[in-house]
Every structure is written in structure tokens, then in C-alpha cells.
């Protein structure tokens, strides 16, 4: 599984922590930045390249972190084929993949601590889309909406 991660200054410390954690667990993970903590940086500059890579199929699961996770989710959902959500509990991190084929998890670096973040990303990464007919029907409706509004 190809994993990507991105964060602005609000999520930088958590990103570095999760990056080290995932690498220690044997995951190969692409870091879309920021490369250093810069209090003046802007979350779209890091989340958009990650979301673009997810949309292009170059990354299977993305993790985007800003201060609240809100800006990251807003940016990521601008990209066709990206299904991003701000998640703060493990039920949704898992079920979002199983039912909604969530492919980009957004976290608030100023909202959650490193241990909860760890549980969230493993719930997200270990989950699989169920493919059940009712979920596929809903995703097909989402695709129709995307095709209506996105290039
Ligand atoms: C940056 O200060 C902050 O606004 C940003 O990280 C994020 O929380 C936006 O949603």
C-alpha cells in the first residue's frame, strides 16, 4: 500500500511523529512536506500535492494534518476521486474506509495527541472497503456528482 503524508505548521510535529512511527512499522511512506516547521506556511501548499497524488492513483491512502484538520479536509475534497474526512475517533477511521472508501484521513495536530493519532491511522490503514452493494450504490452516486461538478 502506497501511503502519503502532509502537514502545515499546525500539524508538523504530529506528522514527524507519525512518519517515524510508520517507518518503524515497515511502511514505505511519501512525505509531501512541510520539510521544516515554518509558522508562516499554508496548508494548501502541502495538502494539495498529496490529494493530487491520491486522485492520480499514485498514493493509495493519504494522511493530512493541519491545526484543526478542517482546512486539510476542505482542500483535499477539491480533488476528484479524493474522499477525505476529518476524524477524531477510531470507529469512523475504520468505518469510513469500509463503507465510504475513505482514502485521505485528516487530523488536527492541535486537537489530538500522538497516541490517539496512532490508533486513528492504524484503524484507517488496516481497514478495507467492503464493496457491499449498498455502499457501492452510494459511491456511484458520489461519482455522478463528481462528474457533474469536477473537470
Ligand atoms: C494554521 O494556523 C491553521 O489555521 C491551520 O493549520 C488549520 O487549522 C486550518 O484548518
Amino acid at each position: 500500500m502506497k501511503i502519503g503524508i502532509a502537514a502545515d505548521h499546525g500539524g508538523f510535529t504530529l506528522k514527524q511523529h507519525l512518519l517515524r512511527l510508520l517507518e518503524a512499522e515497515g511502511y514505505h511512506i511519501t512525505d509531501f512536506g512541510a520539510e521544516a516547521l515554518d509558522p508562516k506556511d499554508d496548508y494548501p501548499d502541502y495538502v494539495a500535492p498529496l490529494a493530487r497524488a491520491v486522485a492520480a492513483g499514485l498514493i493509495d491512502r493519504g494522511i493530512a494534518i493541519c491545526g484543526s484538520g478542517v482546512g486539510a479536509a476542505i482542500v483535499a475534497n477539491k480533488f476528484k476521486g479524493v474522499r477525505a474526512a476529518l476524524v477524531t475517533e477510531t470507529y469512523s477511521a475504520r468505518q469510513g474506509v469500509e463503507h465510504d472508501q475513505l482514502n485521505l484521513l485528516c487530523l488536527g495536530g492541535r486537537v489530538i495527541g500522538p497516541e490517539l493519532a496512532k490508533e486513528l491511522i492504524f484503524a484507517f490503514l488496516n481497514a478495507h472497503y467492503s464493496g457491499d452493494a449498498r455502499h457501492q450504490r452510494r459511491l456511484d452516486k458520489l461519482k455522478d456528482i463528481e462528474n457533474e461538478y469536477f473537470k
Side-chain angles (χ1 to χ4, degrees), residues 83-94:
R83 292 171 295 279
L86 168 58
V87 173
T88 57
E89 33 71 35
T90 55
Y91 176 84
S92 300
R94 175 185 55 77

Side-chain angles (χ1 to χ4, degrees), residues 55-139:
L58 303 172
I59 294 290
D60 301 310
R61 300 268 171 102
I63 300 164
I65 316 168
C66 63
S68 64
V70 172
I74 291 171
V75 172
N77 279 313
K78 299 291 182 198
F79 292 82
K80 187 175 181 179
V82 173
R83 292 171 295 279
L86 168 58
V87 173
T88 57
E89 33 71 35
T90 55
Y91 176 84
S92 300
R94 175 185 55 77
Q95 199 236 39
V97 176
E98 291 173 349
H99 290 199
D100 310 314
Q101 218 170 25
L102 178 70
N103 55 16
L104 206 156
L105 184 78
C106 300
L107 303 174
R110 295 174 181 156
V111 180
I112 58 168
E115 284 305 309
L116 177 55
K118 175 182 169 184
E119 293 194 20
L120 290 169
I121 61 166
F122 285 116
F124 170 60
L125 295 175
N126 291 327
H128 301 280
Y129 175 53
S130 76
D132 287 355
R134 68 188 194 282
H135 301 312
Q136 192 54 51
R137 185 180 69 240
R138 292 159 192 161
L139 284 173

